Amino acid sequence: MDIAIIVEGKNDKSRLSRVLSPEVPIHCTFGTLNTAKIESLRKAVGDCQVYLFTDPDSSGRRIRGILHDVFPDAENIYTRRGYNGVEGTPEEYLIQQLEKAGLEAYIVYPEPTAAWPDAPK
């Protein structure tokens, strides 16, 4: 896999994994970024293109800042402030943000339903 996504916690990972191909590695910081965790992330990510998807709160911004120092070429993916972090973001909005980041090839689109009569089939 040529990309890796870093999120804050297991609930963020679980939420994101519902709309991404299972082959996409999603790594968690678990809210702590000490030297050992940073090295573990660096090793796990390897040469992949990194995408940072943290919450829009102060903790998420702090983690994103630290990770940007470690992965200066990382791309950012954002969720809205009104949502309860990545884990509380609706799947439709997650998909929009992943598309905006150019990750269409890795998205698992939901099956069309009656609620989405014009959805592509």
Side-chain angles (χ1 to χ4, degrees), residues 12-99:
D12 298 336
K13 178 179 179 174
S14 174
R15 183 71 168 168
L16 202 52
S17 67
R18 290 160 59 179
V19 296
L20 282 172
S21 170
E23 294 85 35
V24 175
I26 304 171
H27 304 282
C28 300
T29 66
F30 299 109
T32 57
L33 280 176
N34 55 32
T35 305
K37 184 62 178 178
I38 289 171
E39 286 308 311
S40 173
L41 282 171
R42 194 180 310 218
K43 185 176 182 179
V45 167
D47 293 331
C48 292
Q49 170 62 52
V50 175
Y51 291 84
L52 305 177
F53 201 173
T54 61
D55 295 343
D57 57 14
S58 60
S59 176
R61 286 190 301 273
R62 181 183 57 77
I63 290 169
R64 186 184 298 269
I66 293 168
L67 290 173
H68 238 295
D69 288 342
V70 177
F71 304 104
D73 295 331
E75 300 283 335
N76 291 299
I77 303 174
Y78 297 97
T79 189
R80 288 189 184 151
R81 284 185 182 265
Y83 297 138
N84 186 20
V86 174
E87 71 182 85
T89 302
E91 288 183 13
E92 296 83 21
Y93 191 76
L94 288 175
I95 289 171
Q96 287 175 9
Q97 295 309 102
L98 293 166
E99 289 173 337

